[in-house]
Amino acid sequence: MPVILDITISLDGFVTAPNAGPDNGLGDDGLALHAWAIGNRTPEDLRLLAAGTAATGAVVMGRNTFDVVDGPNGWSDERHYGADQGDAAAPPPCFVVTHTAPEHVRLTDRMTIVTTGLRDAIDQARAAAGERPVVIMGGGSVGGQALRKGLADRVQLHVAPLILGAGTPLFDGPRVQLRLDEAATVVTRNAAHLCYDVVR
């Protein structure tokens, strides 16, 4: 099954606003990036969110994202992967790419810490996902690595109609050049939902 990089991004290429951190996950005034998922959502936004959540077999995330979702104000039984889908779907297993294991993991039932690199995290996620896709959900560093290393089969960008000017970039680090084929495009007032298959 495919590995999907699924991430929300501003028009100028940032996945968070400035000053993002464990207690300020999307940065200063960055919540508007995710209006399609947790704001004043349209029926089409909700349909895409529900379909993506239901299809996910396992999730890969970076340490910064983990520090937010596993923190005291992070995911809970009511709000987890898929925003506030609640009981609509059980949270998928998550694999956290980090150089150093955290001292404490709150969500021990759904988080696996991987200190041996992104490729190993994806391999473990594939084994857990069965016949469903693996989704790389964040953050910018892990997403950028997946693109540079050719580990993503599909790219799903939720492009928010915002220009942030600064923050956490997705397209950072060494140059990457990919050919993408459009698979689907849906535009709502909150985001342009762009789905591309990576051409090998």
Side-chain angles (χ1 to χ4, degrees), residues 3 10 12 38 68 81 89 103-104 108 114 117 146 163 168 186 192-193 197:
V3 175
S10 68
D12 52 347
I38 56 177
V68 173
Y81 178 76
E103 293 182 6
H104 173 74
T108 55
V114 182
I163 295 175
T168 305
V186 175
H193 304 279
D197 291 325

Side-chain angles (χ1 to χ4, degrees), residues 13 41 94 96 125 190:
R41 302 168 294 187
C94 297
V96 181
N190 295 312

Side-chain angles (χ1 to χ4, degrees), residues 21-23 25 59-75 94-114 137-140 142:
D23 298 320
V59 170
V60 173
M61 68 178 73
R63 178 61 182 269
N64 290 339
T65 302
F66 166 81
D67 286 343
V68 173
V69 302
D70 196 64
N73 299 314
W75 286 351
C94 297
F95 297 81
V96 181
V97 183
T98 180
H99 295 294
T100 306
E103 293 182 6
H104 173 74
V105 178
R106 179 174 61 88
L107 301 171
T108 55
D109 60 327
R110 55 185 98 155
M111 297 290 175
T112 298
I113 307 301
V114 182
M137 64 160 278
V142 166

Side-chain angles (χ1 to χ4, degrees), residues 19-67:
N19 300 315
D23 298 320
N24 191 27
L26 292 173
D28 297 342
D29 300 318
L31 197 60
L33 273 170
H34 287 261
W36 75 273
I38 56 177
N40 186 17
R41 302 168 294 187
T42 70
E44 196 70 354
D45 291 325
L46 284 169
R47 182 189 68 78
L48 291 169
L49 182 63
T53 300
T56 300
V59 170
V60 173
M61 68 178 73
R63 178 61 182 269
N64 290 339
T65 302
F66 166 81
D67 286 343

Side-chain angles (χ1 to χ4, degrees), residues 82 94 118 187:
C94 297
L118 178 57
V187 179

